[in-house]
Amino acid sequence: MLTKLTLKLYKYTDTDAWARLCHTKTGIFLVSVVLGALGTLGFAPYNNWVVTLATLAFEFFFVSTFKSSKRVFFSLLLYFTAMNTFTLEWLNYVMTGFGGLPPIASYSIETLFSAYLAIFHACLGTLAFRLSMRRIKKDELETDHSQGKDSAATAANDSSASAANDNSANASSSNDASAKSDAKTADADDFDDEEAVEAPPPAFSSRPVPAESSASPSKMQDMPKHGISAGSTRLYPILTLKDGIDRRFFKNAFLLGFLPAALVLADYIIGVLFTGFPWMYVGYTTVDSPFASFAPLVGVRGISLLFFICAGAIALAIERRYVYLPVAGFIFFVSIIIMGIKYVTPMEPIKVAGIQGNIEQSIKWDPNHTIPSIKKYMNLTSPELGKNDVVIWPESAMPVYVQQIVPLLDDLNFLANEQETALLMGIQRVTPDKLSYNSMYVFGQSKNLFDAQIYDKRHLVPFGEVVPFENLTRQLGSIFNFPMSSFSPGALDQEQIHIEKFDLKFIPALCYESIFPELMLSMYSDETNGIIMISNDSWYGDTRGPIEHLAIARMRSMEMQKPMIRVTNSGITAYIDELGAIVERLPSDEEGVLHMQYVPTSGTTPYAKGGIYIFIVMVLATIALGFMLRRVRQDAVQQQFNDMIRP
């Protein structure tokens, strides 16, 4: 009875058995999806970046134990699809609330879109897996085989001696357990036979295999030929691919070099392909972490790369390769040391008022509510003219074209000019050749209305502001017929917003533009003093979308160390300082005025100078590290010795 109970306990605590279970089709699906779902907790509003780092580390470790490229591909695809699906759940609010889609269709589209974003990580991650292999030289393979024979013989003698000391009942029960284990292993290997590894998948621990299993003839045939015991984890396993050629897989090169570089390159592709959607960068999980101190040095892309490298180092530590853990420790230590360093100099503060009208999105474009909406903004603004240096309205605050209300704007411009207050307004305009633009106007700096500065939105929201193949797609339903969805993109080489009274220059950003790092940086100059972002986040309702958007805006301020004035229709209107901290903000879904003592800055950060080139250098260096680690010739005896003495 006691023996049976012991065997049952052993079965449920056998980490090797759990490892084999995780390598089945069901196991890969569950592990990858659960880790990805937990990874969303790093993004706003949860901001638990430690959880995202932990899930990445376990996912990295998990894929490093696979035998084939196919498994690596599907695990990464499932992980990032799950993370994207949970983080981008606010898309369903837009599609059901404004696009008229039924929930089942909305969630299906969102999941497919999440999978589309994830497929780039899966493809490049698989390429990284293949790059981490090196064909074994003939003399190296012969050495490994000869050492493996000695290792196998020693293991066989030890196993036989151990088996002789056990009673027959225990041996029989253990053999039954071994048979079940073999069946599970066979089920795991049924996933695909694209490639084969000489030894079983590395275990999650160094727990010894039962003596009976080790001593059985069938198991003796499966003993590795390369000098490393089958029960131990291996840093440099040998894989036999379809072509029959033995290749050594370098986990350290994979986890510290090729995989981190592959994932940030996937991020970059996602950010530029088909107009781009750079929302899901893991660097955005770090806005409230020590990693954020790297923002003025390497930007969000560089932070993402460092984050992935840390995950790789921790993944190796999970496999008890603690020699690589100091890599993560060093990155984290440096982030703490440089925390709070400023590369810019504060200037004299100015008084700014941000107007949050809180017009419901469902009535914003209704002609019956146009006049009440304009009156609301006028009533909120009138007391602020003359008391503030700058007054800012959100994106599309005026739900009309400029040409439709020229007399009203002329009066506003005259009043603002008399009160020496610059009035920034989000409004649409149309040109004589019928091109319409989503724009930002600056009134009050000249008595002539037509001298007002104009900034046209350069990067439009697909389907929200511009509809691809609209002659066809607009026939498919309301999801392709949002109000004001036929804009033209503005020119890329526009001027910064100039507040003439104080000779201050600001990078303008209209809503969606703020998620594109290089787009924002393209307007930067040594004369830049801050960022003005206006948005209409009412599209997201009370979902996590506005909070995620705010976190992205904070990263833009950190990268250039330029304080941001962020004004939205219904929230989140906020003043973000040069270190990304929120100084003041208004509650969401309330009308009001945010008063700020805004402090512009002068000076330039290293990231603002280097831009994308810093990222390119970092990626190339990481790939070079992978090749360097892959070139190391491995000694099987030395590796076995390292396995024996590791903690």
Side-chain angles (χ1 to χ4, degrees):
M1 185 69 175
L2 182 61
T3 301
K4 291 183 178 180
L5 179 61
T6 302
L7 288 172
K8 285 184 178 180
L9 290 174
Y10 181 88
K11 175 182 177 182
Y12 289 111
T13 59
D14 184 1
T15 51
D16 288 346
W18 283 107
R20 288 190 293 271
L21 180 62
C22 288
H23 282 74
T24 63
K25 293 179 181 179
T26 303
I28 292 174
F29 177 85
L30 290 177
V31 171
S32 303
V33 169
V34 169
L35 288 175
L38 291 174
T40 191
L41 296 177
F43 293 90
Y46 308 108
N47 299 318
N48 291 316
W49 63 273
V50 176
V51 175
T52 301
L53 181 60
T55 63
L56 277 169
F58 277 102
E59 174 65 12
F60 280 22
F61 164 72
F62 189 47
V63 297
S64 73
T65 65
F66 290 148
K67 301 178 181 182
S68 71
S69 301
K70 189 181 295 185
R71 295 189 181 195
V72 172
F73 175 86
F74 281 107
S75 182
L76 290 174
L77 179 66
L78 290 167
Y79 175 88
F80 284 101
T81 297
M83 178 186 284
N84 296 341
T85 300
F86 281 92
T87 307
L88 299 175
E89 53 84 21
W90 50 265
L91 286 172
N92 295 292
Y93 181 89
V94 179
M95 289 188 287
T96 57
F98 301 104
L101 288 181
I104 188 170
S106 172
Y107 282 101
S108 298
I109 292 174
E110 194 237 333
T111 302
L112 288 173
F113 179 64
S114 298
Y116 156 75
L117 297 177
I119 200 167
F120 297 99
H121 296 93
C123 289
L124 291 182
T126 303
L127 176 61
F129 177 76
R130 299 301 292 264
L131 280 176
S132 303
M133 301 178 194
R134 175 171 62 80
R135 185 170 178 172
I136 301 175
K137 297 179 181 178
K138 184 177 180 181
D139 59 337
E140 183 181 359
L141 188 61
E142 290 175 351
T143 302
D144 282 355
H145 274 240
S146 63
Q147 292 165 348
K149 290 179 181 179
D150 295 337
S151 176
T154 302
N157 292 333
D158 292 343
S159 300
S160 299
S162 175
N165 294 329
D166 293 333
N167 58 55
S168 58
N170 289 348
S172 176
S173 299
S174 180
N175 285 334
D176 290 342
S178 178
K180 293 178 181 179
S181 176
D182 290 343
K184 288 181 180 178
T185 304
D187 179 55
D189 290 341
D190 284 342
F191 189 91
D192 67 78
D193 59 355
E194 176 192 358
E195 298 156 313
V197 66
E198 292 284 352
F204 288 117
S205 76
S206 57
R207 182 186 180 93
V209 178
E212 294 85 347
S213 288
S214 300
S216 64
S218 62
K219 293 296 179 184
M220 285 299 299
Q221 295 175 3
D222 293 334
M223 291 296 290
K225 301 181 291 180
H226 307 290
I228 311 297
S229 61
S232 67
T233 54
R234 296 188 303 160
L235 187 60
Y236 311 107
I238 293 180
L239 305 181
T240 303
L241 306 186
K242 277 185 175 181
D243 55 14
I245 299 175
D246 287 335
R247 291 177 174 83
R248 194 181 293 279
F249 173 53
F250 292 79
K251 289 187 181 180
N252 52 358
F254 177 59
L255 295 174
L256 294 178
F258 295 123
L259 185 57
L263 296 182
V264 294
L265 285 174
D267 283 344
Y268 180 79
I269 293 172
I270 291 168
V272 299
L273 190 65
F274 304 129
T275 77
F277 187 73
W279 189 286
M280 290 296 303
Y281 292 168
V282 296
Y284 292 132
T285 68
T286 68
V287 291
D288 289 315
S289 79
F291 284 92
S293 59
F294 287 113
L297 297 175
V298 298
V300 69
R301 299 191 191 280
I303 292 177
S304 294
L305 179 58
L306 294 173
F307 204 72
F308 287 135
I309 291 173
C310 286
I314 297 172
L316 288 165
I318 294 173
E319 199 170 90
R320 296 200 289 182
R321 307 292 170 178
Y322 301 115
V323 68
Y324 300 100
L325 193 56
V327 173
F330 176 76
I331 292 174
F332 190 76
F333 176 75
V334 171
S335 71
I336 294 176
I337 293 298
I338 65 175
M339 189 180 296
I341 293 180
K342 292 185 179 182
Y343 302 88
V344 297
T345 304
M347 302 173 66
E348 290 296 319
I350 62 174
K351 294 181 180 180
V352 179
I355 311 297
Q356 181 171 292
N358 194 37
I359 308 296
E360 292 184 21
Q361 192 63 30
S362 58
I363 65 171
K364 186 174 182 65
W365 302 106
D366 185 345
N368 295 323
H369 291 86
T370 299
I371 299 301
S373 296
I374 293 175
K375 284 184 177 180
K376 175 181 280 192
Y377 275 101
M378 293 288 290
N379 292 335
L380 290 171
T381 301
S382 295
E384 306 301 329
L385 297 177
K387 296 180 181 178
N388 295 277
D389 301 306
V390 182
V391 174
I392 304 175
W393 291 11
E395 178 188 26
S396 301
M398 290 279 199
V400 292
Y401 287 111
V402 167
Q403 288 77 8
Q404 295 175 299
I405 54 169
V406 170
L408 174 61
L409 292 178
D410 193 33
D411 291 341
L412 263 177
N413 179 70
F414 178 81
L415 181 60
N417 182 260
E418 287 291 310
Q419 300 292 333
E420 296 185 344
T421 300
L423 175 60
L424 279 72
M425 178 188 302
I427 192 170
Q428 297 69 235
R429 72 184 186 96
V430 63
T431 63
D433 52 357
K434 305 303 181 183
L435 295 178
S436 59
Y437 296 91
N438 188 0
S439 306
M440 179 192 302
Y441 274 72
V442 185
F443 299 114
Q445 300 194 128
S446 170
K447 292 183 179 181
N448 188 344
L449 176 66
F450 298 100
D451 288 339
Q453 297 180 54
I454 305 173
Y455 170 77
D456 297 322
K457 190 172 185 178
R458 296 179 293 162
H459 203 117
L460 303 175
V461 181
F463 303 106
E465 294 177 316
V466 59
V467 178
F469 311 107
E470 61 178 327
N471 292 334
L472 173 65
T473 53
R474 287 195 185 276
Q475 309 303 318
L476 300 179
S478 57
I479 187 66
F480 299 109
N481 288 277
F482 288 113
M484 305 299 286
S485 57
S486 296
F487 289 118
S488 299
L492 292 177
D493 58 348
Q494 299 179 63
E495 298 291 330
Q496 298 184 53
I497 295 298
H498 185 203
I499 305 301
E500 298 173 359
K501 180 179 178 180
F502 303 97
D503 195 23
L504 297 175
K505 292 188 176 180
F506 294 84
I507 295 175
L510 273 162
C511 189
Y512 188 63
E513 293 181 315
S514 65
I515 72 174
F516 294 88
E518 288 77 33
L519 184 72
M520 293 281 288
L521 196 59
S522 67
M523 293 197 71
Y524 184 88
S525 73
D526 291 339
E527 299 177 339
T528 300
N529 305 116
I531 305 170
I532 295 177
M533 174 189 172
I534 60 175
S535 183
N536 179 23
D537 288 355
S538 301
W539 289 106
Y540 309 137
D542 58 355
T543 66
R544 61 191 288 186
I547 308 176
E548 292 175 7
H549 202 188
L550 176 65
I552 294 172
R554 292 175 60 192
M555 181 61 72
R556 297 289 87 81
S557 285
M558 294 177 189
E559 290 170 338
M560 294 178 273
Q561 287 199 346
K562 299 300 176 183
M564 177 184 291
I565 306 167
R566 186 177 192 270
V567 182
T568 71
N569 174 54
S570 60
I572 301 169
T573 297
Y575 168 26
I576 304 169
D577 71 11
E578 67 272 18
L579 297 180
I582 299 175
V583 181
E584 302 282 351
R585 60 170 289 178
L586 287 178
S588 297
D589 303 316
E590 294 182 12
E591 68 175 71
V593 180
L594 180 64
H595 297 96
M596 314 167 224
Q597 285 289 328
Y598 178 82
V599 182
T601 62
S602 61
T604 305
T605 64
Y607 170 75
K609 290 181 179 179
I612 191 67
Y613 298 106
I614 294 176
F615 169 70
I616 293 172
V617 170
M618 291 181 68
V619 171
L620 291 177
T622 306
I623 294 174
L625 173 64
F627 280 110
M628 183 181 69
L629 292 173
R630 201 190 69 166
R631 287 177 59 87
V632 177
R633 181 187 175 96
Q634 298 305 320
D635 187 315
V637 172
Q638 180 63 41
Q639 182 59 39
Q640 186 177 22
F641 176 74
N642 292 340
D643 280 351
M644 294 171 60
I645 66 171
R646 66 184 181 184

